[in-house]
Amino acid sequence: MDKPVSFKRGFKSDSEKKALLYRDQLNIKSTDPLPAMLLADFLNIRVAIPAEVPGLNQQMVSTLNKCNKWSALTMDCLSGIRLIIHNPSHSRARQESNIMHEIAHILCNHSTPDDHFNVEIPLRSYNSQQEKEAEWLGGCLQLPREALLWALKNNMKESEISDYYNASQVMVKFRINKTGIVHQLNSYKNFRFQ
Amino acid sequence: MLNTEKFSSMLKNKRGDRGLRVIAQEIGGVSASTLSRIEQGNLPDVETFIRICKWLGVSTEEFTVKTDSEVQESSKKELLLTQLRADRTLPQETVLALAQMISLAYNNIK
C-alpha cells in the first residue's frame, strides 16, 4: 500500500500563486482560462502529437492515436528542447488536463528516480507523491481558487465552468471540493444577511 | 524490449491453479485485474514489473531483450523519458510505438 501523501508546507498556496502569476505574466485576468498551450509556449516547452514527430510512420501514428490508455509523456530531446507529446484521441478537456498535468510535473522539477533500472522501453513509473503534486498544481493552473470563486459568485453551473475553462466536470468538482469554496461562499452569505 | 511472452508464462506457471486475487496479495501492490492483463500479454508499469520479478525470484534482466540499434543508440545509459502518464498496463504494440516515437522525437525534434 502507498503511504498517505502529504504536501510540503506551503505547496498548496504556492500553487495558487503560480496560477495567478502566470496569468499576470501573460496579461490574462486572474479569473480567465489559461490555455495549456499558451503556458507551455511561455515556458519554452514544445507540445506535439504523434503525427508531428518527424519520421514516425503512419502505422505507428495510428496505433498510438487508437489507444486511449496513454495520456501524455514528457522528455528531453537531443536539441535541448523539452517536449510534451500528448494523445490527441482524448476529449479536448482531457487533452487540456493532460498537458497541464505534464507542465505541472516540469514546474515541480519531478524526474524519474535514478534507482530504477534502465530498460530501453517506456514503462510507466508511478510516484504517488509526485502524481498528487502534479494533480494539485495542474488543477490550480486550470482552475485557480480566485477563478472558481468568481464563477460560483456569478452563479455558473458546473457544466458552464467546465466549458468556460475547458476543464472536465470531474476536475471542476475536484477543485470545488478541495478548495472549500462553497463553505466560504455560504459563510459570506451568512455574514451578509446578519 | 521486454519478453512479455516469457514474463506472462512464468507468472502463469508459478500461479498454477491459484486465484489471481491470492497471487496479487502475495505479490503486494498489484491488483488481480492488472495481473490478468499482464497474463494476456500487456506490459506492466515499472513498479509492478519489479514486484513480480521479486516474487518470481528472478532479476529484471531475465526478461529484457536487446532490440534494434536505433532505440539502443538514442537511449544508451540515459533515461530519456521524464514522465509517462498512462494506465498501469499497456498493450505491447502501444509500448513499441511509444518507444519508436520517443527515439525519433529525441533525435529529430529541433
Side-chain angles (χ1 to χ4, degrees):
Chain A
M1 284 290 281
D2 287 335
K3 290 184 216 168
V5 169
S6 60
F7 295 122
K8 289 187 284 271
R9 194 182 161 131
F11 177 80
K12 286 186 177 179
S13 57
D14 283 348
S15 298
E16 295 288 348
K17 283 177 194 160
K18 277 194 172 87
L20 299 180
L21 174 70
Y22 288 125
R23 278 168 170 76
D24 183 58
Q25 289 181 336
L26 285 162
N27 292 318
I28 292 173
K29 285 196 312 199
S30 58
T31 53
D32 276 354
L34 172 56
M37 293 290 284
L38 189 64
L39 181 58
D41 192 56
F42 179 73
L43 295 169
N44 287 323
I45 300 167
R46 187 85 63 90
V47 179
I49 57 172
E52 292 167 343
V53 174
L56 190 62
N57 69 45
Q58 197 46 52
Q59 193 192 342
M60 294 286 176
V61 171
S62 176
T63 297
L64 290 167
N65 287 352
K66 278 192 291 196
C67 179
N68 65 358
K69 291 180 182 298
W70 73 281
S71 298
L73 61 92
T74 303
M75 59 179 287
D76 291 326
C77 304
L78 190 59
S79 57
I81 288 173
R82 178 146 275 182
L83 174 68
I84 293 171
I85 307 178
H86 71 104
N87 192 335
S89 69
H90 288 177
S91 69
R92 265 190 59 218
R94 194 162 164 203
Q95 286 182 50
E96 189 75 5
S97 162
N98 289 341
I99 298 168
M100 211 51 114
H101 186 94
E102 293 305 302
I103 291 174
H105 273 304
I106 292 168
L107 291 173
C108 289
N109 289 315
H110 291 158
S111 58
T112 311
D114 289 335
D115 59 353
H116 270 145
F117 65 94
N118 181 9
V119 180
E120 291 150 355
I121 45 167
L123 296 182
R124 188 193 89 156
S125 179
Y126 188 84
N127 178 312
S128 54
Q129 180 72 33
Q130 290 186 357
E131 285 306 312
K132 287 293 177 198
E133 285 176 359
E135 183 184 58
W136 186 270
L137 177 54
C140 283
L141 290 169
Q142 263 197 289
L143 279 168
R145 199 174 194 283
E146 208 165 296
L148 265 181
L149 198 56
W150 170 84
L152 291 173
K153 275 185 183 172
N154 282 281
N155 299 313
M156 284 175 81
K157 292 183 223 159
E158 280 181 13
S159 56
E160 288 169 326
I161 298 173
S162 165
D163 284 341
Y164 187 66
Y165 292 99
N166 197 17
S168 67
Q169 291 203 33
V170 170
M171 170 65 80
V172 173
K173 277 188 179 38
F174 171 77
R175 288 290 295 154
I176 288 173
N177 290 341
K178 291 292 181 183
T179 52
I181 261 184
V182 171
H183 185 71
Q184 182 183 340
L185 278 173
N186 288 339
S187 302
Y188 172 72
K189 282 179 195 163
N190 287 340
F191 178 79
R192 275 191 67 191
F193 293 116
Q194 267 170 4
Chain B
M1 199 56 228
L2 268 188
N3 187 339
T4 48
E5 216 177 294
K6 188 175 179 185
F7 187 64
S8 64
S9 73
M10 276 184 79
L11 175 59
K12 275 186 250 181
N13 287 342
K14 185 166 177 180
R15 177 167 79 85
D17 55 10
R18 291 183 293 163
L20 284 165
R21 279 211 190 103
V22 169
I23 300 307
Q25 275 189 338
E26 248 180 52
I27 295 170
V30 62
S31 69
S33 53
T34 297
L35 283 182
S36 171
R37 283 192 287 273
I38 293 167
E39 284 190 358
Q40 286 162 44
N42 289 295
L43 273 97
D45 64 18
V46 172
E47 285 78 16
T48 304
F49 178 59
I50 292 172
R51 282 178 199 269
I52 294 175
C53 287
K54 273 197 181 132
W55 178 76
L56 288 169
V58 299
S59 149
T60 54
E61 282 167 21
E62 183 80 21
F63 306 106
T64 53
V65 177
K66 292 297 175 194
T67 54
D68 63 54
S69 57
E70 191 180 14
V71 175
Q72 281 182 277
E73 192 55 42
S74 58
S75 61
K76 294 271 192 312
K77 299 286 182 201
E78 298 162 47
L79 285 171
L80 298 182
L81 201 55
T82 312
Q83 297 289 342
L84 170 63
R85 196 172 184 206
D87 286 6
R88 277 196 96 155
T89 58
L90 286 173
Q92 187 165 349
E93 60 169 8
T94 301
V95 176
L96 281 168
L98 283 170
Q100 179 87 310
M101 180 175 73
I102 290 162
S103 173
L104 287 166
Y106 176 77
N107 285 304
N108 300 334
I109 295 270
K110 291 176 173 46

